[in-house]
Amino acid sequence: MLFGTEILTTAQMRAIESAAMDGGELPGLTLMERAGAAVAGHIRLQWPKPGHATILCGPGNNGGDGYVIARLLAKVGWRLRVLGLDNIPGSDAGDAKRRWQEIGPILPLTLATLRESPVNSIHVDAIFGTGLSRPPQDEIAVLLRHLSHLTRHENTPLVAVDCPSGLCMDSGRWLGGDTDPPSPLAATLTIGFDSPKPGHLLASGPAACGRLIIADIGLRPWRERRTRQADLYAIWPRFPVHDRRAEPIRSVLPRMLGKGVAAGQPQDAHKYRYGHALIVGGAAGQDGAARLAARAAIRSGAGLVTLGLPDDITGHGRQGPDALMLRNIGNAEALQNLLTDRRITALCLGPGCGLRRAADLLPTAMNARLPCVLDADALSALAQNPDWVGQLPDHCVLTPHEGEFARLFPDISRRMKKPARHGPAYSRIDAVREAASHCNAVVLLKGPDSVIGAPDGRAWVHSAFDIPWLATAGSGDVLAGLITGLLARDLPVLEAAGIGCLLHAYAARLFGPGLIADDLPELLPRVYREFGL
């Protein structure tokens, strides 16, 4: 069940390009011409009046794309300075270079010539593409440091071809260790080809790429001929992907949700048909997080939501919505007794629960044989009992932020934080896949680049880089409750986590700056209407 756009690693992209070029079905020079034409076309859309451009061409095929861009812009009146290396590139890039030399010169790709560019020049980065595996060296590294200064401190417009040079496109990390500090670029516009790469969405990628456009260069038939099914998707790209293989989200969500608000109510409909979610909260005065989760669960479309509180339930008062059920859950035995009710279809443990209480209830939740979201205090309790981490059932969803992830999976977290001295660098996708395999559960690593991984290796990336106001107290509790509500409605675990991320972020986008977590559940009905549900 797909509701996003396929992401390709750099190795997968190279394999598809090679398959297309083998036998001459789609010559490499044709691909290069299409790529260059796509970039030149988007430059003209962004800056309709021809101006001045400085095009920086590297030693390989990315440089070849740059020479094509130069030739096409020159035809429509742009004033150009083309900087390149005194080398003989591969045959396709060599042909593109010779075609440009028939109409214009190539200046040395050096810091001195870059400094001579007019102050109003648009710069086009066609130095290194997606295949870069080591940090830029020597003169190119010095040049990129200056280009970084121009883009970050002097507002120089930069168009990146495929990716900003120096960025690992499998991880979104800048390549360079302690002795070779990276020179992070800040592109105005990045034109990628065929499919987004992980680096476009992860870590430093979104900030480095600026506005990201994925251009179709005719590789779809070879991509679809692959025998191995794709296992990595962007579930809600923050950029427009004009791609027929990604079904419109408005048509996919009703089929995925399938019940409740997503479909016509059958004549025998009743609340238990649409699931019963149980949210376990903590003591009075500390139960706000659990209430946020419960409100999100009931707004998700679950037929019934119960908030389970300690024995001093009268101390909690009657805080809305009134549709929530309240039950006493004083200890693990009480939780076990309540879970004998087979009408309960999903459980959330952690938000506002308290560490001691979460540790007491966690074994019961793990053995409950029903979908379970572990968040907040439940994750802290799990981290204090590392033997439990490898005993989780496959119907569990863990929703850690980076600090919680580091406590749960310390070795994986340390590897993720090591300097990216070469590519492909270890990425958040790698880390989440490894963590999911280790604990046999779905892991949702939260952040502006949330990654969701399943034990079988499937992974989804959700880029919310453009919603900084979503980083507000309680928003994670709302996400946990929303996923629990979707699980209660019998969605598969990975899909519930992915759709929960999507709805959560879309609600935040609708509200805009000034958002607090309490606003998110109340926006869900509007989100459903926006999707035609």
Side-chain angles (χ1 to χ4, degrees):
M1 296 182 178
L2 307 181
F3 58 104
T5 299
E6 184 179 0
I7 301 173
L8 294 178
T9 65
T10 56
Q12 290 170 328
M13 191 74 249
R14 283 195 298 270
I16 290 169
E17 290 172 341
S18 296
M21 290 185 287
D22 284 349
E25 288 185 85
L26 187 57
L29 186 58
T30 300
L31 279 176
M32 192 168 287
E33 288 285 336
R34 290 178 181 179
V39 176
H42 282 290
I43 289 174
R44 295 179 62 191
L45 286 172
Q46 182 82 11
W47 296 278
K49 183 178 179 179
H52 196 288
T54 299
I55 301 182
L56 313 175
C57 299
N61 286 341
N62 204 244
D65 295 341
Y67 293 120
V68 174
I69 295 164
R71 194 181 79 246
L72 296 177
L73 290 180
K75 286 183 179 180
V76 293
W78 281 73
R79 301 181 303 281
L80 302 174
R81 296 180 81 243
V82 178
L83 280 57
L85 297 174
D86 185 17
N87 72 317
I88 301 175
S91 59
D92 298 326
D95 286 343
K97 185 176 183 178
R98 284 189 292 273
R99 289 183 183 185
W100 163 251
Q101 288 176 308
E102 292 173 3
I103 60 175
I106 299 176
L107 303 173
L109 183 62
T110 64
L111 177 61
T113 50
L114 177 61
R115 288 182 182 275
E116 295 170 359
S117 298
V119 294
N120 62 343
S121 180
I122 295 167
H123 289 60
V124 178
D125 173 13
I127 302 176
F128 298 121
T130 59
L132 186 67
S133 61
R134 59 191 176 95
Q137 303 290 321
D138 305 324
E139 179 78 14
I140 298 297
V142 175
L143 181 147
L144 287 175
R145 279 194 285 273
H146 180 69
L147 188 59
S148 174
H149 174 80
L150 293 178
T151 61
R152 291 181 175 273
H153 302 292
E154 298 188 16
N155 297 319
T156 298
L158 177 68
V159 176
V161 180
D162 230 358
C163 67
S165 290
L167 189 70
C168 171
M169 291 312 292
D170 283 309
S171 67
R173 302 172 67 187
W174 293 106
L175 293 177
D178 298 331
T179 57
D180 292 301
S183 303
L185 303 178
T188 308
L189 177 68
T190 295
I191 313 298
F193 305 120
D194 183 74
S195 301
K197 314 306 179 294
H200 287 136
L201 301 176
L202 296 173
S204 300
C209 292
R211 182 183 171 218
L212 178 61
I213 294 173
I214 303 299
D216 181 4
I217 56 173
L219 288 170
R220 179 188 177 193
W222 289 271
R223 183 182 354 97
E224 293 181 344
R225 287 177 198 170
R226 289 177 302 159
T227 56
R228 185 167 180 237
Q229 187 176 5
D231 56 10
L232 182 59
Y233 285 86
I235 59 173
W236 184 250
R238 68 182 184 91
F239 49 87
V241 179
H242 305 291
D243 191 336
R244 288 176 294 176
R245 69 200 150 115
E247 288 191 80
I249 208 136
R250 298 182 201 285
S251 68
V252 176
L253 273 181
R255 293 203 302 276
M256 292 195 71
L257 292 175
K259 300 197 302 184
V261 297
Q265 302 266 344
Q267 290 184 352
D268 64 343
H270 54 82
K271 56 181 177 287
Y272 290 112
R273 179 180 292 275
Y274 305 122
H276 181 180
L278 173 61
I279 313 293
V280 179
Q286 300 176 350
D287 58 345
R291 289 186 181 278
L292 281 171
R295 287 170 60 195
I298 202 165
R299 285 294 190 188
S300 74
L304 182 67
V305 176
T306 293
L307 181 58
L309 301 170
D311 288 332
D312 58 342
I313 192 168
T314 55
H316 293 262
R318 176 70 260 184
Q319 303 174 38
D322 290 334
L324 288 178
M325 302 286 289
L326 295 178
R327 290 291 297 270
N328 292 331
I329 301 179
N331 53 36
E333 183 180 359
L335 178 60
Q336 180 64 54
N337 290 337
L338 182 57
L339 292 178
T340 59
D341 184 349
R342 294 189 176 275
R343 295 174 298 182
I344 295 175
T345 51
L347 168 67
C348 177
L349 178 66
C353 192
L355 182 56
R356 182 176 297 180
R357 176 169 162 80
D360 179 46
L361 301 179
L362 186 55
T364 302
M366 290 169 54
N367 294 324
R369 295 178 178 258
L370 78 163
C372 178
V373 175
L374 300 181
D375 185 50
D377 291 326
L379 298 177
S380 298
L382 192 61
Q384 291 183 353
N385 296 273
D387 290 344
W388 293 355
V389 176
Q391 301 175 18
L392 293 172
D394 58 8
H395 47 258
C396 256
V397 181
L398 310 186
T399 56
H401 54 60
E402 285 199 14
E404 292 163 338
F405 186 89
R407 292 192 291 272
L408 284 165
F409 309 103
D411 293 341
I412 298 174
S413 179
R414 280 192 291 270
R415 185 178 177 191
M416 187 167 53
K417 292 175 182 177
K418 286 183 178 179
R421 291 188 170 88
H422 58 82
Y426 194 71
S427 73
R428 285 168 68 87
I429 296 171
D430 297 322
V432 169
R433 280 175 164 160
E434 190 173 341
S437 176
H438 174 70
C439 69
N440 193 43
V442 168
V443 176
L444 193 172
L445 176 54
K446 295 182 289 193
D449 51 350
S450 294
V451 180
I452 309 164
D456 63 6
R458 289 178 296 159
W460 292 345
V461 178
H462 181 279
S463 180
F465 184 82
D466 59 333
I467 325 174
W469 53 88
L470 190 53
T472 185
S475 66
D477 305 312
V478 173
L479 177 60
L482 181 51
I483 295 171
T484 306
L486 296 174
L487 287 171
R489 295 169 61 185
D490 201 29
L491 263 73
V493 182
L494 182 63
E495 281 80 354
I499 291 180
C501 264
L502 185 154
L503 300 175
H504 184 252
Y506 196 84
R509 283 190 179 94
L510 285 177
F511 191 94
L515 173 85
I516 63 173
D518 301 68
D519 300 317
L520 290 166
E522 308 315 311
L523 281 166
L524 288 173
R526 180 180 169 190
V527 172
Y528 281 133
R529 289 194 297 272
E530 290 269 334
F531 290 142
L533 300 178

